């Protein structure tokens, strides 16, 4: 009697390999398809900063005693408190100002009011930053106390 070379145990092994490989290939194909469909082809171009970002940058620069580069964020006729004008002149603020955070933003047309929370000498307080849109950029018009 002759023995068959491709007996049932050989065909069973190939069947098992196929039963595992076909679903695995299908899952990989599906994952690849979903990844390609959901991928954003065009990265969003960063636009000019919004009013809350401008207000935060200005107040953080004030907190860091580094106001030298803020000229492009300020309106020519900006009404600034004396500590801010001293910071712009390169003087160090005697108060310890830290933790500038945006608490609230109200925008109407080309005007925006941003309330910024700051910690001054360990005491939490708020400052209001008024901004005006000039072209596509926001400029600080005034920095004042709330109210």
């Amino acid at each position: 009697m002759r023995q068959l070379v491709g007996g049932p145990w050989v065909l069973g092994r190939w069947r098992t390999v196929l039963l595992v490989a076909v679903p695995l290939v299908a899952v990989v194909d599906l994952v690849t398809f979903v990844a390609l469909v959901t991928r954003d082809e065009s990265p969003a171009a960063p636009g000019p900063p919004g009013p809350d970002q401008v207000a935060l940058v200005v107040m953080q620069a004030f907190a860091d005693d580094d106001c030298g580069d803020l000229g492009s964020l300020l309106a020519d006729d900006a009404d600034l408190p004396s500590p801010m004008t001293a910071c712009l002149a390169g003087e160090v603020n005697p108060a310890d100002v830290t933790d500038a955070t945006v608490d609230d933003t109200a925008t109407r047309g080309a005007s925006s009011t941003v309330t910024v929370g700051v910690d001054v000498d360990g005491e939490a307080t708020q400052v209001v930053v008024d901004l005006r849109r000039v072209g596509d950029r926001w400029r600080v018009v005034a920095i004042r106390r709330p109210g």
Side-chain angles (χ1 to χ4, degrees):
M1 182 147 132
R2 264 178 76 189
Q3 270 196 322
L4 298 173
V5 177
W9 66 273
V10 173
L11 293 178
R13 193 175 341 163
W14 284 109
R15 187 179 308 149
T16 303
V17 169
L18 286 174
L19 287 175
V20 172
V22 169
L24 183 64
V25 169
V27 168
V28 169
D29 193 32
L30 179 64
V31 169
T32 303
F33 173 76
V34 169
L36 288 173
V37 168
T38 59
R39 184 176 63 171
D40 187 6
E41 291 295 326
S42 59
D52 53 342
Q53 295 164 318
V54 171
L56 191 59
V57 165
V58 168
M59 292 309 299
Q60 191 61 52
F62 176 68
D64 295 342
D65 289 321
D66 187 20
C67 300
D69 295 333
L70 294 180
S72 64
L73 299 177
L74 304 173
D76 294 335
D77 58 345
D79 183 19
L80 304 174
S82 57
M84 180 61 80
T85 57
C87 181
L88 288 167
E91 297 176 22
V92 175
N93 187 4
D96 183 27
V97 181
T98 58
D99 298 331
T101 58
V102 173
D103 291 343
D104 188 37
T105 303
T107 302
R108 179 175 284 175
S111 297
S112 186
T113 302
V114 179
T115 305
V116 178
V118 291
D119 188 358
V120 180
D121 291 330
E123 188 173 320
T125 189
Q126 289 184 323
V127 176
V128 176
V129 180
D130 296 317
L131 298 103
R132 176 177 61 227
R133 187 184 345 247
V134 178
D136 65 340
R137 307 257 183 219
W138 288 95
R139 303 284 189 253
V140 173
V141 176
I143 298 175
R144 58 184 170 82
R145 293 191 182 275

